[in-house]
Amino acid sequence: MPSTTITAIPGVVRRLATSVLGHSATASTPVSAHTFAATASYSYAYLTSSLAAVRHSSTATAATTQPTRQEALSTFRGLLRAARHFGPYNHREYVRRRARDAFREHRAEQDPAAVRRLLDDAASQLAVAQRQGRISALYGAARLVVE
């Protein structure tokens, strides 16, 4: 079977392989494909449970922290930055307009729980806009006259 070293394995998988193989494993420890395949199911289960724990702890932490002006401005600027990555003019302007309108609509909100919920929704929208912007960047679009 082919053998590789831990350094040839990308990012998260390398950290998981190192943790599965033990603390004595170094970056140059040879790992056979069979050994790595045998640990893959354990690694996947470990990864999914770790991600679930991180999500749960970050949700619990986010729910208890007070929303800050800096966090709101950061999310707003992130949405505006994400809009730049869209190819078609109409898509870029839609993301910008949606961000501006949503933040203006809820500008006067005072309840910390409602503000936290709104910021969490905005953060999820930011993730969607970033992902869609990357996809949009893959397909070139001709510039319009208005641009």
Side-chain angles (χ1 to χ4, degrees):
M1 288 211 156
S3 179
T4 186
T5 61
I6 292 179
T7 56
I9 303 169
V12 171
V13 177
R14 181 176 3 129
R15 287 192 296 275
L16 287 172
T18 303
S19 67
V20 169
L21 293 173
H23 296 292
S24 63
T26 64
S28 60
T29 303
V31 179
S32 70
H34 178 69
T35 303
F36 189 73
T39 61
S41 62
Y42 171 79
S43 298
Y44 178 75
Y46 175 76
L47 177 63
T48 54
S49 66
S50 297
L51 288 175
V54 167
R55 280 192 196 120
H56 178 69
S57 66
S58 66
T59 304
T61 304
T64 59
T65 60
Q66 291 288 339
T68 63
R69 175 180 166 81
Q70 180 62 33
E71 183 181 0
L73 289 174
S74 174
T75 305
F76 179 69
R77 282 191 297 262
L79 282 164
L80 294 180
R81 260 187 248 111
R84 287 187 217 150
H85 297 286
F86 283 86
Y89 172 79
N90 290 335
H91 296 174
R92 278 195 313 272
E93 289 304 310
Y94 174 77
V95 173
R96 285 183 191 140
R97 187 176 55 249
R98 243 339 245 133
R100 279 193 311 261
D101 292 347
F103 275 82
R104 282 181 185 155
E105 179 183 346
H106 300 290
R107 179 186 290 175
E109 186 65 55
Q110 296 295 321
D111 180 30
V115 172
R116 169 58 49 208
R117 182 183 50 77
L118 290 167
L119 285 176
D120 289 345
D121 291 344
S124 68
Q125 291 300 317
L126 173 59
V128 169
Q130 289 171 336
R131 187 171 50 249
Q132 289 303 117
R134 278 188 235 114
I135 291 170
S136 178
L138 295 174
Y139 303 99
R143 296 288 186 186
L144 298 177
V145 175
V146 296
E147 296 180 84

